Amino acid sequence: MEKTYIMLKPDAVKRKVVGNIINRIENKGYNITTIKMFNLDEEILKEHYSHLVDMPFFPELVSFMTSGPVIGMIVEGDDVVQGMRNLMGPTKWVEAMPGTIRGDFANNTTQNLIHGSDSVANAIIEIERFFG
Ligand code: DAT
Ligand code: MG
């Protein structure tokens, strides 16, 4: 069964929409097999967002992602990597259609509520990074 790494970001926790987002994942029929709440630091974010460290918004991204706890999950299902990306909606909130998580809740590109692995290969790396 395919696995993906999902992380509910600090805004999802602060806004109390964790239950709503988990409902969507469960309603879709995916299985949450592991879940934990924890805090990120700059070191792990430089790894996790290594493709973005040179972007002008990286300091803002670190500041946001360390502003409160996140909820990390392993989610399993057929084609779950692409399926979760579909449920999330695209990175930019303004491009995310209503009905998607980002489309329904985000009004800012950095504070977009949820992370999901973008490929099966990255899912394996991210699950190892956050769950060891
Ligand atoms: P995704 O989270 O959809 O996989 P990504 O990996 O390109 O997108 O970027 C990781 C996070 O960085 C993204 O969820 C929010 C932030 N980010 C990306 N591009 C941004 C931008 N142009 N301005 C502000 N924040 C951005
Ligand atoms: Mg990404």
Side-chain angles (χ1 to χ4, degrees):
M1 191 62 80
E2 192 168 290
K3 297 181 188 188
T4 191
Y5 179 67
I6 297 298
M7 186 159 61
L8 308 186
K9 298 182 180 181
D11 54 340
V13 176
K14 280 188 201 119
R15 291 173 59 184
K16 303 188 191 295
V17 293
V18 167
N20 185 304
I21 295 171
I22 286 176
N23 265 330
R24 293 168 187 237
I25 297 170
E26 292 185 328
N27 287 346
K28 187 69 179 172
Y30 297 139
N31 293 317
I32 297 168
T33 58
T34 308
I35 185 165
K36 73 171 172 184
M37 181 179 261
F38 61 104
N39 289 281
L40 298 169
D41 60 25
E42 185 165 354
E43 192 187 341
I44 203 162
L45 286 165
K46 281 184 173 161
E47 262 184 50
H48 182 63
Y49 286 139
S50 61
H51 58 301
L52 300 173
V53 285
D54 294 327
M55 300 302 276
F57 57 80
F58 190 71
E60 181 193 344
L61 181 59
V62 170
S63 159
F64 163 59
M65 291 297 292
T66 58
S67 67
V70 297
I71 295 172
M73 292 180 248
I74 300 172
V75 179
E76 296 191 10
D78 287 338
D79 292 314
V80 69
V81 170
Q82 185 60 51
M84 276 304 309
R85 296 288 298 192
N86 294 345
L87 282 189
M88 289 161 53
T91 311
K92 291 193 175 143
W93 68 276
V94 76
E95 293 169 2
M97 295 304 287
T100 66
I101 294 162
R102 288 166 168 173
D104 286 348
F105 293 117
N107 53 41
N108 179 292
T109 296
T110 305
Q111 303 192 21
N112 61 7
L113 295 119
I114 184 167
H115 167 82
S117 307
D118 62 9
S119 66
V120 172
N122 278 336
I124 291 165
I125 292 167
E126 292 175 359
I127 288 169
E128 176 66 23
R129 174 175 302 137
F130 292 102
F131 288 108

